[in-house]
């Protein structure tokens, strides 16, 4: 659990990076997960809470093997703020608005669950071979 302030991006990335290294996750696959999670945390910081009242961001990660014998990492990023859909005018003007597409491109699966209680983003990595 981290405060939804800019340092949370760095702190989440470092914690996840250390964990992936301990799992001996391949560097290129780890980079995809790290970039997707950093973007999800940035979205919490930028969009979930009023600027004067930052809330919390929760990150949970686990590893599992699929039926083909390959490993995947699943990471959830959760806030208790209010969902605000992307602004079409900002995206059309070329200012931001590509975070969800980027997260989707970097992961095998992306699930976004907005609700009155906050937003949960679940990302599943591409498979890597079991060491």
């Amino acid at each position: 659990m981290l405060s939804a302030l800019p340092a949370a991006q760095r702190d989440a990335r470092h914690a996840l990076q250390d964990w992936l290294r301990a799992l001996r996750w391949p560097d290129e696959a780890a980079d995809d997960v790290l970039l997707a999670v950093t973007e999800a945390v940035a979205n919490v910081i930028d969009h979930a809470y009023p600027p004067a009242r930052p809330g919390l961001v929760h990150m949970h990660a686990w590893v599992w093997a699929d039926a083909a014998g390959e490993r995947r990492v699943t990471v959830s990023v959760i806030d208790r703020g209010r969902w605000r859909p992307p602004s079409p005018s900002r995206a059309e003007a070329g200012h931001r608005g590509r975070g969800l597409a980027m997260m989707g491109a970097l992961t095998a699966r992306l699930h976004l669950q907005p609700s009155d209680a906050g937003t949960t983003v679940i990302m599943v990595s591409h498979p890597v071979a079991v060491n």
Side-chain angles (χ1 to χ4, degrees), residues 1-2 4 40-49 54-60 76-84 112-121:
M1 181 171 33
L2 302 163
V41 172
N43 284 347
V44 172
I45 295 165
D46 291 346
H47 304 296
Y49 301 105
L56 297 174
V57 57
H58 302 264
M59 180 180 75
H60 305 279
S76 64
V77 175
I78 304 163
D79 67 65
R80 299 291 175 232
R82 300 298 264 173
W83 170 254
R84 288 183 283 171
L112 180 71
Q113 183 61 53
S115 75
D116 289 342
T119 302
T120 299
V121 177

Side-chain angles (χ1 to χ4, degrees), residues 24-26 29-30 66 69-73 125-131:
R24 296 157 65 134
W25 211 259
D66 63 19
E70 296 178 308
R71 297 181 305 162
R72 293 177 186 261
V73 166
S125 74
H126 295 284
V128 300
V130 174
N131 292 354

